[in-house]
Amino acid sequence: MNKVTKTVTGIVSSASALAMSSSSVLAETITKPRWAIGGDGDGKSQLGNIISNVLNIVFAVGVILALFYLIWGAFTWITSGGDKAKTADARNKIIASVVGLILLAATWAFLNLVLTVIYGSGTSIDTVINDNLQL
């Protein structure tokens, strides 16, 4: 009986020591979610890249749509045949597309200016998110 008690006590104390030593690792896993797809697993770099890519796509799509609207307005102007209503409609399309392009360029410039003033030159959105996001 004494031998069985010593063996059980040794197993229980070894299991307790092992469980206590891994509790910090388990707590870190629970408090820091690893929800990134691929990458290093901390979620920061992946999220920063996703947000940066989405913004780049949104700006590119906006510029493409504004340019197509400009071309549509120019085509409407050419095919108006001197009709004042069609010419005014075409002029409004051209003005709206130019204003859209100016707003997109101003937004892009403002975003880069803010990033440069706050974080220094050569800073992109993904590095700001990666450096400042606390998961």
Side-chain angles (χ1 to χ4, degrees), residues 9-93:
T9 305
I11 291 172
V12 168
S13 64
S14 297
S16 298
L18 182 63
M20 293 303 232
S21 67
S22 65
S23 65
S24 64
V25 174
L26 292 174
E28 184 177 337
T29 304
I30 292 170
T31 58
K32 290 185 177 180
R34 300 181 186 275
W35 52 273
I37 300 170
D40 54 3
D42 66 352
K44 292 181 185 179
S45 61
Q46 193 73 11
L47 182 64
N49 291 337
I50 289 171
I51 291 173
S52 178
N53 290 337
V54 166
L55 283 175
N56 287 335
I57 290 170
V58 166
F59 276 110
V61 168
V63 168
I64 290 170
L65 288 175
L67 288 175
F68 277 130
Y69 201 63
L70 178 71
I71 292 170
W72 183 21
F75 182 75
T76 305
W77 188 302
I78 292 170
T79 59
S80 67
D83 186 11
K84 292 202 184 266
K86 288 182 181 178
T87 305
D89 181 47
R91 184 173 48 247
N92 290 337
K93 286 179 185 175

Side-chain angles (χ1 to χ4, degrees), residues 2-14:
N2 195 9
K3 189 175 183 182
V4 172
T5 306
K6 286 182 181 179
T7 306
V8 170
T9 305
I11 291 172
V12 168
S13 64
S14 297

